[in-house]
Amino acid sequence: MAQEQAETKYMGIEQENESLTSSLPTREGWWEPFFLLQGCWLSTKMTRSVMAMKPQFHPRHDDIILATHPKCGTTWLKALAFTVINRSTHPAVASYDHPLLSHNPHDLVPYLEIPFRDLHPVTELDEIPSPRLLSTHLPLTLLPSSTSTLSRVVYLCREPKDVLVSFWYHIKTVRPDILIEFDRSFELFCEGFSFYGPVWEHYLGYWKQSKIEPEKVLFLKYDEMAAEPTKHVKMLAEFLGVPFTDEEESRGAVEEVVRLCSFQHLKSLPVNSQGVTERIGTDNSLLFRTGKVGDWANHMTVEMAQKLDCITEEKLRGSGLTF
Ligand code: PAP
């Protein structure tokens, strides 16, 4: 009976969503039509997933949400936050049974909206004991209601030119059937028409909130984290309420977390070089391309870089956020 009720409710959500998407602005250009949902461009499938997820998700006061625009270092942040939070049961020091050695970070920290929630309801999230470590690519405006007031959020952003390059490689690899030239992707990205974009609005939503409620939103930059990982891991631990003790610091526990979660280490693990992420369904190796800051320089002309820099500067002007 409960199952029947759940299915009826679910079908109701489905039908409602079908009519809602038909009223949204839509545009072609990527691999399938995108819809503009509250200012955020999402693929058809993701729009349906988000619409199905929002009414089903039950936020808890102690949830921790790792939020990112795609290709900003989500995999890295998931590895770091998981390791920091669970270090008393799973020390980061070279052990043979740390979960990161056998699981891709995405299989340890689930997304709210992935796998597609119209096909895979969020009940799996209800079953996770508190405090839950969850993640999303959604902008602040699309988080399920009250999530933003209840949860603590760690947001990681990245230099937009590197985001585009990373995203273009990702799409080129997962969808070899659709030929989107880099130049075309660049134009669409500059227009603000990109997956989960526009990227600047995504950043600004969390940036402004981190200024209003710094105890609720920790705003990090990939590029700064790459330059000073130890400092950022300590900041992360403090924000998450599990600061490193003096004793841990003196025996190098912070550096151990940095090493365990480093690009080179994670990339070298068989689970990441050969495995497939259960939840996302893509090859894990896709998530570990170069892990470099500034790879855009190998793909963009000086003019392209200047154009995107100008747009970024203009979009972020007055906010205090710079790259
Ligand atoms: P997603 O949006 O598909 O989840 P996400 O993890 O956010 O991807 O971003 C992937 C980028 O983070 C890749 O960047 P690149 O394409 O420029 O190389 C990937 O290499 C990088 N990355 C993954 N793991 C790490 C890590 N441990 N340290 C630093 N960068 C990493």
Side-chain angles (χ1 to χ4, degrees), residues 69 72 157-166 189 199-200 203 223 296 300 308-309 312-313 316 322-323:
H69 179 282
C72 285
C157 72
R158 189 180 188 185
E159 209 287 325
K161 300 195 291 303
D162 278 340
V163 173
L164 170 62
V165 169
S166 184
F189 192 83
V199 68
W200 314 282
Y203 291 0
D223 319 67
W296 60 265
M300 289 184 197
L308 187 43
D309 283 346
T312 299
E313 209 187 303
L316 303 182
T322 53
F323 287 95

Side-chain angles (χ1 to χ4, degrees), residues 48-66:
R48 292 205 182 114
S49 176
V50 172
M51 286 175 146
M53 178 276 290
K54 284 180 70 168
Q56 292 180 64
F57 179 68
H58 304 114
R60 297 184 199 153
H61 75 280
D62 53 0
D63 282 339
I64 295 161
I65 311 268
L66 308 179

Side-chain angles (χ1 to χ4, degrees), residues 180-216:
I180 302 186
E181 299 297 334
F182 182 72
D183 289 9
R184 182 66 188 141
S185 302
F186 176 83
E187 289 307 325
L188 297 177
F189 192 83
C190 286
E191 288 171 25
F193 178 54
S194 57
F195 194 34
Y196 285 93
V199 68
W200 314 282
E201 273 77 356
H202 203 292
Y203 291 0
L204 282 174
Y206 287 98
W207 170 255
K208 288 178 184 165
Q209 202 58 30
S210 75
K211 297 289 154 203
I212 297 167
E213 289 189 292
E215 69 294 344
K216 285 270 191 168

